[in-house]
Amino acid sequence: MLMSFLCILAAVASFVIETKSSISASGDLPEGATAIYECTYQKGHLTKGNTATLTLTGWQRACIQRVTLYMRSNKTSGAGSLLMQVGGNTVWKIAESPFNSKTWYGNYIDTFVPISHSFSPSVSSSEGDVQITVSASENSLHIERYEIEWEQAEARPYTVSFVADGYSIAEQASEAAVGEGIELPLFPNISDWFFIGWSEVPIVETTSCPRLYMAGSRYFPSFDTRLYAVYTNYDSPNLRTKQCTEARSGYYALAFPITKNALNGCVEETMCGVPLTEVALQKNSEGRYERLFGILPSMVYSVDFLNDSIAHLWQAESGVGIGYKNGKVCVGISDWHYRILADSTFAFYVPQDSVRSRVLTAYYDSKNQCWLASCVSLANSSLKSQALLFEADYTDLPILYTSFPYGQGIPSVSTLPEVTGTNVVQMGIYRLYIMSNGKKILQYEAQ
């Protein structure tokens, strides 16, 4: 959830790139904040088709005022794009363009210069996650360090009301102290509907898995708010949520920990890649990833592990294979080589030469403004943090999600949050418009 706050205590955090997969932090950082850096080429160096991603966590109630990347191009070339997201919302974007354009620096230059963006008002998120991705479309772009100017949000302990059936508040919980968050409760199933987590908005019946906060996890509210229980009609077997660490043929969801995206669909021939969707992941005490996302039928893939470290990949729902041809992903069955890396992630790749391979990995397609899984040239010696495999089952039945297990309807106006001025409030499958003169007008708009 992207929010604006009244903020105090100005500070500056600096992140200096040390290697292609490590970064050092200095200055003033929010307590408990962490930083992960990953570059698909060399230390701070991006050639065509490569990306660098800085992922920050633990920035709850930190109001970001300004972000600066110290970057350079080559003397006569260099182009790419930039995407910054806070709480899953895009707050700064530079479309694919040359470094000598006004959207970047305005000139090609081989010394590091500041590329900055200011936020007014400042931005923050209740989840505390920040991600900055730079993608190169033309040789070369270089990044030396990042700086973030921020202020501590002035806050108080907040209360969360838990809505069990889309209408009525079942219980409430308050933070013990500012910033401590609230542990989300586990609710019982209702009839043939199975509780799977919490949503910040009520979910009308849909086949698309909504963004969920899982029972037992900590939620960091930014104001007094409500969370809505979400139920599914599919009683999935108790499959493991931890990443698989052995090569066993079967059905899997494939996710990428660096970008927190998972494969979701068939090969897009026009874009030469497989669509990705944002997912929630977390590390457990053993250092292994656990999935916090529900697996839809479109996210299930058949992985057939064969002899000689070869694997075949299919999208289960369509039966369409994920193949490789001329450096690109295509429809078909190809012999993907695979390796289980030191962090127990899987690398699916096609050897390119003695030192490099074309690896199935996640990247941001700035032209089409979407995440895709495609083949990127990476050095064999530096492969790490590639695909996560999570056990999945496959069903032909539609899987539904809803906050209204007893059926759809219009909640009573008295059950909605109190509002003033001109507001729009979602009520189940309808909206209530309250005009600024105080006169209430119901306009039933089916969503």
Side-chain angles (χ1 to χ4, degrees), residues 373-388:
S374 191
C375 288
V376 177
S377 180
L378 298 176
N380 298 332
S381 60
S382 62
L383 283 181
K384 64 176 294 185
S385 299
Q386 295 301 316
L388 299 168

Side-chain angles (χ1 to χ4, degrees), residues 51-199:
T51 63
T53 301
L54 174 67
T55 302
L56 308 176
T57 59
W59 283 64
Q60 291 88 357
R61 297 197 179 92
C63 305
I64 298 174
Q65 298 177 316
R66 183 181 179 88
V67 174
T68 302
L69 284 71
Y70 288 85
M71 297 181 62
R72 71 174 179 87
S73 61
N74 292 341
K75 286 185 177 180
T76 58
S77 65
S81 60
L82 180 148
L83 180 70
M84 177 177 174
Q85 293 186 312
V86 176
N89 297 278
T90 299
V91 297
W92 179 22
K93 181 179 178 180
I94 297 177
E96 195 281 319
S97 53
F99 201 75
N100 68 345
S101 65
K102 292 183 178 179
T103 55
W104 284 101
Y105 184 65
N107 291 295
Y108 293 120
I109 189 168
D110 60 355
T111 57
F112 288 103
V113 294
I115 306 297
S116 299
H117 185 78
S118 297
F119 301 97
S120 182
S122 57
V123 295
S124 184
S125 78
S126 59
E127 298 87 354
D129 57 300
V130 179
Q131 189 172 84
I132 304 172
T133 300
V134 176
S135 303
S137 57
E138 204 175 290
N139 296 349
S140 289
L141 296 179
H142 301 259
I143 308 171
E144 180 186 42
R145 70 184 191 275
Y146 305 75
E147 284 186 358
I148 298 180
E149 298 176 27
W150 63 282
E151 291 182 329
Q152 182 66 48
E154 187 175 30
R156 61 174 176 81
Y158 293 109
T159 297
V160 174
S161 300
F162 298 97
V163 181
D165 54 9
Y167 305 109
S168 56
I169 295 174
E171 62 180 72
Q172 292 182 322
S174 299
E175 291 182 294
V178 172
E180 283 196 2
I182 293 170
E183 183 173 328
L184 298 180
L186 175 67
F187 266 28
N189 301 328
I190 296 179
S191 186
D192 293 329
W193 292 93
F194 302 91
F195 173 82
I196 57 172
W198 298 97
S199 170

Side-chain angles (χ1 to χ4, degrees), residues 37 91 99 135 152 191 202 248 283 326 345 351 372 386 436:
Y37 173 77
V91 297
F99 201 75
S135 303
Q152 182 66 48
S191 186
R248 299 191 305 269
K283 278 191 174 181
N326 298 328
T345 60
L372 292 174
Q386 295 301 316
S436 58

